[in-house]
Amino acid sequence: MNILVTGGAGYIGSHTCIALLEAGHQVVIADDFSNSDEKALEAIGTITGKDFKFYQVNVARFHRLEKAFTEQKIDGVIHFAGFKAVGESVENPLDYYANNLKSTITLLKLCRKYKVQQFVFSSSATVYGDGEVPFVETQNLKPATNPYGETKVMNEKILKDYAKANPEFAVILLRYFNPVGAHPSGLIGEHPRGIPNNLMPYITQVAKGLRDQLYVFGDDYDTVDGTGVRDYIHVMDLAEGHVQAMEHLQKGWDVVNLGTGKGTSVLELVRAFEKVNEIEVPYSIAPRREGDIALCYADTQKAQRVLGWRAKRNVEDMCRDAWQFEKNNRHEGQ
Ligand code: UD1
């Protein structure tokens, strides 16, 4: 298949492009580099030895994006492009609603015009809020605690309504748990601008000496050691889940969790990182972060049943590959 990957230069998008190319698909990337750069594109070529097409375009701009649809014969779309910083979304809600909703609507209008009926959407476990774990696809969603999460809920609704109105259309909503790690080559990985919001990039920057210590947000949750528990998933497992989703699309809509089903606490992750990489990660306990939940992990049965997919890599692989990338990766001013 010839697959349009929006946000294909980004963290999860670039790893997915590699998995698609390695599975024999063709790839057309649309990205405006608002949170990524050319280096990821070069790395995709180096790692796979394969060619792909690239359009530098904001996916919310109909006429600019249309060029990709007129010049390429697109069979399916994987839609990653979107703003994703939780704190920023609270400060600038209009930017988040405008960008994240308009990009999906624009893409769907182009899919309708060019009769593209296969679609995979990058959703998030954030839609489960503080519900009962393990999170199952059928459970009721809780209101999101921030505009970023709300755009995921709304985009899911837009895609479901579009699928209901267009019986030939097939869409899978993939709810990711906590993607971490990097391609084992160390050439691509997560490269946040500024201070990392997420745990793993913060840990790798502390290990590298770029930050003094990790602040563990709360040690009084009702969990194994009081720190927050998450379902960390290796980004290459996640990438391969997208290939499986694309290949298992059926008319109508479906929703599938991509996680490992296993919870790991903040301190367990720190210890695993220290052990596998033989490097110390100093930390101190800080107050809870607003909006955080104690426990978040997936029920993974549906992914196995519907996609024939399960995560293969463990927490040690995630820590090793994240560190390998951080060591290769230069930050501004370094
Ligand atoms: C966060 C977002 C979620 C988004 C996901 C994308 C929030 C509240 N949620 O999930 O909506 O889909 O990222 O990757 O931001 N932690 C620390 N110290 C740190 C950073 C994190 O102790 O410096 C802890 C957190 O309290 C949490 C765990 O590490 O228990 C994971 O945090 P993080 O990587 O930010 O992911 P989530 O909060 O699960």
Side-chain angles (χ1 to χ4, degrees), residues 84 86 124 126 146 148 177-179 196-200 202 214-217 227-230 232 266 289-293:
K84 62 166 192 179
V86 174
S124 165
T126 193
N146 57 74
Y148 155 78
F177 283 70
N178 287 59
N197 296 307
N198 295 117
L199 179 60
M200 185 64 98
Y202 209 104
L214 169 73
Y215 297 95
V216 176
F217 297 145
T227 66
V229 165
R230 297 290 182 272
Y232 297 98
V266 177
R289 179 171 67 181
E290 209 186 309
D292 268 357
I293 55 175

Side-chain angles (χ1 to χ4, degrees), residues 163-183:
K164 277 183 213 148
N166 296 275
E168 293 301 308
F169 190 72
V171 58
I172 296 188
L173 313 166
L174 293 177
R175 292 181 181 154
Y176 313 153
F177 283 70
N178 287 59
V180 295
H183 189 269

Side-chain angles (χ1 to χ4, degrees), residues 7-10 29-42 52 54-59 81 83 193:
I29 295 177
D31 201 303
D32 66 355
F33 294 141
S34 59
N35 193 22
S36 59
D37 55 48
E38 287 99 338
K39 271 190 258 152
L41 300 185
E42 265 173 50
F52 55 89
F54 173 65
Y55 290 84
Q56 186 169 350
V57 58
N58 179 324
V59 176
F83 295 159
R193 292 185 179 160

Side-chain angles (χ1 to χ4, degrees), residues 5-11 13-15 17-18 21 27-33 36-57 187-189:
V5 182
T6 75
Y11 172 46
S14 57
H15 290 81
C17 289
I18 290 171
L21 289 164
V27 166
V28 179
I29 295 177
D31 201 303
D32 66 355
F33 294 141
S36 59
D37 55 48
E38 287 99 338
K39 271 190 258 152
L41 300 185
E42 265 173 50
I44 294 170
T46 310
I47 291 165
T48 62
K50 296 195 178 166
D51 264 348
F52 55 89
K53 301 284 188 307
F54 173 65
Y55 290 84
Q56 186 169 350
V57 58
L187 293 177
I188 53 169

